[in-house]
Amino acid sequence: MPRSASRTRRWRNDDRRRLAVSAYIWTRVTEGEPDFVPCPPRIAPDPELRSVWTRERHNVFHWLRKTDHQPCYGALRPLLEDHAEHLAKEIDSR
């Protein structure tokens, strides 16, 4: 695989996970359900991208709950919880 293709694939994967982690924070701040997380505007019109985003979101939520096989998510979860709590307090104080 050419280097540029590898970088592009990695970036897409990183972006998907970033969006999925943002969705996790959204659920913590709003106390909402994962199924009701708003789809990012640039993804919403494309059914294929929306499907990939939904799958990636589901995977990340699973890894954050069951950290047995993904220890990096076990380390990430308390940081996300703290960040979500901070955001919720900021929002509530306004």
Side-chain angles (χ1 to χ4, degrees), residues 16-27 33-40 49-65 73:
R16 289 179 191 158
R17 292 206 176 136
R18 181 187 59 78
L19 290 172
V21 167
S22 294
Y24 180 80
I25 290 172
W26 182 90
T27 61
E33 293 293 322
D35 290 337
F36 301 122
V37 172
C39 188
L49 285 176
R50 199 169 51 245
S51 174
V52 170
W53 179 74
T54 300
R55 186 174 53 250
E56 191 69 28
R57 185 187 72 214
H58 172 77
N59 289 343
V60 169
F61 275 60
H62 174 76
W63 294 332
L64 286 167
R65 286 190 204 109
Y73 285 94

Side-chain angles (χ1 to χ4, degrees), residues 1 3 5-7 9 15 17 28 44-45 51 74 79 82 89:
M1 178 180 298
R3 284 188 125 192
S6 175
R7 285 185 190 150
R9 181 173 291 157
D15 193 45
R17 292 206 176 136
R28 304 304 298 159
S51 174
L79 299 172
D82 288 345
K89 286 179 182 177

Side-chain angles (χ1 to χ4, degrees), residues 29 82-94:
V29 170
D82 288 345
H83 186 62
E85 185 177 336
H86 171 75
L87 287 174
K89 286 179 182 177
E90 281 293 314
I91 291 167
D92 289 343
S93 72
R94 293 176 186 223

